[in-house]
Amino acid sequence: MIKPRITSTSMAVALLVMTLAAFAVIVSCGGEDPTATSVPVQPTATQAPAATEAPAPTEAPEPTAAPEPTAAMAPDSDGKRGGSLIRGVSRTLRAWDYNTEAVWFAPQSLQRHYSNLVRFDPADGTTIIPDLATEWAIADDAAGINFTIRDGVQFHDGQGLTLEDIKWTFERSKSPPEGERYPRLLALQSITDITIIDDNNITIAYENPNAEFIQNFAAAWGIVFAQHVMEQEGGMNGPDRVVGTGPFIIDDAEMEEFVTSRNNPDYFLDAPDGDPFPYLDEMTTVALSDVEARIAAIQTGRIDIASFDPAEFAPAVGALNSIGDSVRMEISPLAGINYLSMNANGPPFDDLKARRAAYLLFDRLRMQQLESLPTGEFASVPTGFFGTVDPFIDEIPDIWEVSKDTREEAVAEGKALADELGIDGFEMVVNSRSFFQELAQLAAQVYADAGWEVTLNVGDSAANAELIQSANFEMSMSTPNVVLPSVSAFLLEQYLPGGREANAAPPPDKIYDLLTELQGATDPVDAQAATREIQKVMREEWIPVVPMGKQVGSSELVANHVQDRPGALGQWFNLHTWTDVWIDENSPRK
Amino acid sequence: MRDYIIRRVLLLIPNLFILATLTFFLARVLPGDVALGLVAEDGSVIDQEAVQVIRERLGLNDPMPVQYARWMLQLLQGDLGKSDVSDLSVVHVVAETAEVTFLLAILSVIIGAAMAIPFGILSAMMRGRWPDQVIRTFSAVFLALPNFWLGILLLLALVTWFSWSPPIFQETFLDAPVKQFQRLILPAVAIGTSFAAVATRLTRSTMLEVLNQDYIRTARAKGLFPNRVIIRHALPNAVLPIITLSALLFAGLLNGAVVLERIFALPGMGVEIVTATSERDFQLLQGLVLVLGAFVMVWMLLIDLVYVALDKRIQLE
């Protein structure tokens, strides 16, 4: 046999050189890309962001008088104009009319093109401040609001805003066309009348007295549309129909991929420097569904801001710390609650005793301990039935069934009830996303400590929804992020019949009386008394769910070379107009 | 040949009918539907009434045979339907995602073959010597590594050492070929490496078999240079199994390298199919599977024709 004349060494070396050359080409073919900038890698000893306290509970606004309109921006802010900002999110929009979407990704991509009648102050996320309305007054019976609308506001297509646009918008909200639904505008269905008083005043009346109703108009979904655009043939069928009066004008967009917007030079709100908001020339939201892709993109300057779910945040921290001092992390103190939903349409939780056993055996402080960060800091706060909306949230660790001092008594009562009914566990329906699975495993551990065995039934959203809708389950885990930060809204939207918890036990009649009392209360003291009584009835006579707690930061934001009015970026989850944000001089897109 | 092609093309019709029927009914084995997928959030049902409204609008309340007949009628009219979630037509979604999927598949196969063929030949020629040992060891290692993990490692390595990551905005290959290449190269290397691990071993074993054939001995006896023996006589006969393997990989990749598409934010067909499945967007799912099925069937026909062109001993009949 003739041996080949080629030598092994020369062949191997040639192949190795070819491979290395190919890899060098891959790396070096990074042509000019306006979004690509090398960021020096500077390892630092920065620690993971500390957990912050839950938001302070807000008090109900004075129902008989309009709050004094406040300045939209503090005069001490020193925003820098120019440049563009790119934000990476795990998902963008799936519909041009984002009122048809319940998920937060939708307003996070589109709300910056619109205005509300009023909005939440970016500094705290709760105070109502002017937007299209310069002033407002809540009727004496708290069943209506008069808004005074500013003059000279223009839509992005140059047409002027009229009160007819506002009337049309909210009439459309309360009665969506056949086959459509506005899941985040259900509260607006109680609007009974919209009256244009004169050139600047419009009054919106609703069914029941509710001093907190104004929050619907400040919420992310409460935007004002241009009637002449929406009534065009095809309706909201593309980005060219995204026409509002907001600080940004949509430039280019691809559904599920990105939305690019440019500065609206005619925006009606002025910044402290006397020119209109926003500071940014351009803003883009781009979908990067994978956490590693988002981390890599922010490390290499492809994007300036990225948001992370709690389950994604921990692996991101180490890598992001390597960026250097320009990076900052914000934890959004999102209103909400994590709880276990009990199916009261069948055994065992159709029995109040079983619900009370499940409620008493769940140790909320133990859950908080299991959820704590590796540093030992608590990543969650124990909550009652109203999550972070609860005005008495700070008292939860001291109530009888939670307090360490009386915990044994509560467990003993829970076990006695369980023994009486012969219950030693249940099956829990859990969403397959890692965040939900992790929470469910911790909850199962808490019950295991009390002697109950929990079987997890993991499925995707649609599969779980079928089980829940058909009431074919015992327990499921919910983590609703409540849009309306009030106890009454919480009751109506979550627990009472017609709310999200369709399988919750029906409430005792006295709950309705107490709700009426709460909604009509003009004195905060009366409102607090009604709230306390509602909580007592819920704990002892109803128990619609088992409260677990709430993450201190429900979602986290990492920003590089981005500055803001103090507090604004901390509220990023709820606020999407991006007027109060600018990029610093070292940004790759300045 | 012409008759054979016509027969194969005609066979596509019953094949696609069977595929469409299977897709329709298998999709409905999944629990839940798009109405629930749209309103379900965080484990709760937002609005029971809304579920019924959506079901009515999309015809989900109709009996399954009625839904099936409606879809078949739609297909016969050349309408693949539209997404129940985004309202975009299946044709639009395919047009938006096909380029990424096809380019990724082509690039992966090229990279894999470019690694596998020379390394396989070298390994066969150096059988038992250190280059052979090294190549076999590495092919075993890359065979064991999941390609998505390799993709993440490549991404992290480039970020760490060169502060570079792929561009994030999707552009067409014609508009921005360099950017598109940059977006695709890392997942293509990850897939191509996994493919090369298999193909290298296959090339090696085929080459060893071919090198022991009489005609190779004859070629050498004629005094031909070894390189010419390899390239002219051995390689064309050894490469057929590699083509088969590449064709299968390509067909597999058309269905999407789902995990890598997600990691590198590539809007490909794989991600669309997974999303449509999780959202129970049956119209989109059925349309996409049908289009992909047609692609794969045509692709297999083309491969059969390539076999004939490469090896005259193969008869299509």
Side-chain angles (χ1 to χ4, degrees), chain A residues 228-501:
Chain A
H228 65 278
V229 175
M230 301 291 283
E231 287 185 339
Q232 286 176 22
E233 191 179 345
M236 285 290 280
N237 60 2
D240 59 322
R241 302 289 167 89
V242 179
V243 176
T245 55
F248 288 94
I249 301 171
I250 196 161
D251 232 2
D252 192 11
E254 191 66 50
M255 201 175 273
E256 299 185 56
E257 289 183 28
F258 70 93
V259 179
T260 297
S261 325
R262 66 179 190 279
N263 180 309
N264 175 10
D266 299 320
Y267 186 53
F268 53 84
L269 284 178
D270 285 341
D273 63 6
D275 288 330
F277 282 120
Y279 293 104
L280 297 166
D281 287 339
E282 193 176 275
M283 163 113 197
T284 297
T285 309
V286 60
L288 295 168
S289 57
D290 186 77
V291 63
E292 299 295 348
R294 251 173 290 146
I295 293 171
I298 198 165
Q299 278 183 298
T300 56
R302 297 268 187 207
I303 59 175
D304 308 289
I305 284 186
S307 41
F308 299 90
D309 283 346
E312 299 172 336
F313 195 55
V317 171
L320 294 167
N321 280 337
S322 70
I323 294 174
D325 293 340
S326 58
V327 74
R328 55 188 286 195
M329 303 186 195
E330 297 283 351
I331 297 178
S332 174
L334 186 65
I337 180 175
N338 302 332
Y339 58 68
L340 301 172
S341 309
M342 293 174 285
N343 177 15
N345 290 311
F349 298 117
D350 54 346
D351 188 329
L352 175 62
K353 286 180 182 174
R355 295 200 300 277
R356 185 156 170 83
Y359 173 76
L360 292 176
L361 290 179
F362 190 84
D363 186 342
R364 280 172 261 184
L365 295 181
R366 172 74 173 135
M367 184 71 190
Q368 183 192 35
Q369 194 181 33
L370 290 175
E371 286 185 279
S372 57
L373 297 172
T375 57
E377 291 164 295
F378 290 132
S380 70
V381 286
T383 64
F385 293 103
F386 301 115
T388 51
V389 172
D390 190 344
F392 311 114
I393 189 172
D394 293 339
E395 298 175 13
I396 296 297
D398 299 320
I399 62 176
W400 174 76
E401 57 268 40
V402 177
S403 168
K404 282 176 184 166
D405 299 336
T406 49
R407 180 70 200 144
E408 280 185 17
E409 295 170 31
V411 171
E413 185 186 326
K415 282 185 172 170
L417 288 168
D419 290 344
E420 184 185 332
L421 298 168
I423 304 170
D424 60 1
F426 55 85
E427 185 183 88
M428 179 154 64
V429 172
V430 183
N431 189 297
S432 54
R433 282 179 56 197
S434 57
F435 169 65
F436 298 108
Q437 284 197 56
E438 286 166 16
L439 269 186
Q441 283 163 1
L442 298 183
Q445 180 60 51
V446 172
Y447 273 119
D449 293 346
W452 270 18
E453 188 180 344
V454 178
T455 307
L456 301 184
N457 179 0
V458 180
D460 62 19
S461 295
N464 289 352
E466 183 169 84
L467 292 174
I468 292 165
Q469 197 203 28
S470 58
N472 185 19
F473 73 107
E474 292 180 342
M475 184 91 86
S476 74
M477 200 184 68
S478 294
T479 62
N481 295 315
V482 177
V483 183
L484 300 174
S486 73
V487 167
S488 58
F490 214 121
L491 263 178
L492 287 164
E493 288 202 4
Q494 297 297 127
Y495 304 135
L496 289 175
R500 288 163 54 111
E501 289 303 318

Side-chain angles (χ1 to χ4, degrees), chain B residues 55-127:
Chain B
R55 280 184 177 155
E56 199 58 45
R57 176 163 60 89
L58 299 177
L60 299 174
N61 286 331
D62 296 336
M64 207 177 287
V66 173
Q67 293 183 43
Y68 175 70
R70 192 165 51 224
W71 189 53
M72 280 295 156
L73 199 64
Q74 192 180 303
L75 286 181
L76 287 175
Q77 294 167 342
D79 181 6
L80 286 169
K82 60 182 183 177
S83 164
D84 290 336
V85 175
S86 65
D87 224 32
L88 296 173
S89 71
V90 172
V91 174
H92 177 88
V93 174
V94 169
E96 290 287 316
T97 55
E99 183 190 298
V100 164
T101 299
F102 273 82
L103 286 178
L104 180 60
I106 292 168
L107 204 52
S108 302
V109 170
I110 290 173
I111 290 171
M115 287 194 277
I117 293 173
F119 282 124
I121 294 171
L122 180 66
S123 187
M125 290 169 62
M126 303 290 157
R127 183 182 182 184

Side-chain angles (χ1 to χ4, degrees), chain A residues 122-136:
Chain A
D124 60 20
T126 52
T127 306
I128 303 280
I129 61 170
D131 201 355
L132 288 173
T134 52
E135 290 176 39
W136 54 94

Side-chain angles (χ1 to χ4, degrees), chain A residues 163-227:
Chain A
L163 298 193
E164 288 292 342
D165 289 306
I166 296 169
K167 182 176 180 180
W168 182 89
T169 294
F170 293 107
E171 281 179 345
R172 174 181 177 270
S173 301
K174 67 174 183 158
S175 54
E178 190 178 350
E180 294 288 348
R181 50 184 283 281
Y182 303 133
R184 296 283 190 173
L185 297 178
L186 296 179
L188 296 183
Q189 291 186 11
S190 66
I191 290 177
T192 52
D193 185 51
I194 303 175
T195 309
I196 296 173
I197 307 295
D198 56 32
D199 289 347
N200 292 94
N201 287 284
I202 186 166
T203 299
I204 300 177
Y206 35 89
E207 283 171 9
N208 300 308
N210 187 350
E212 295 160 339
F213 198 83
I214 192 169
Q215 290 165 359
N216 290 297
F217 302 106
W221 277 263
I223 51 175
V224 173
F225 291 106
Q227 182 182 359

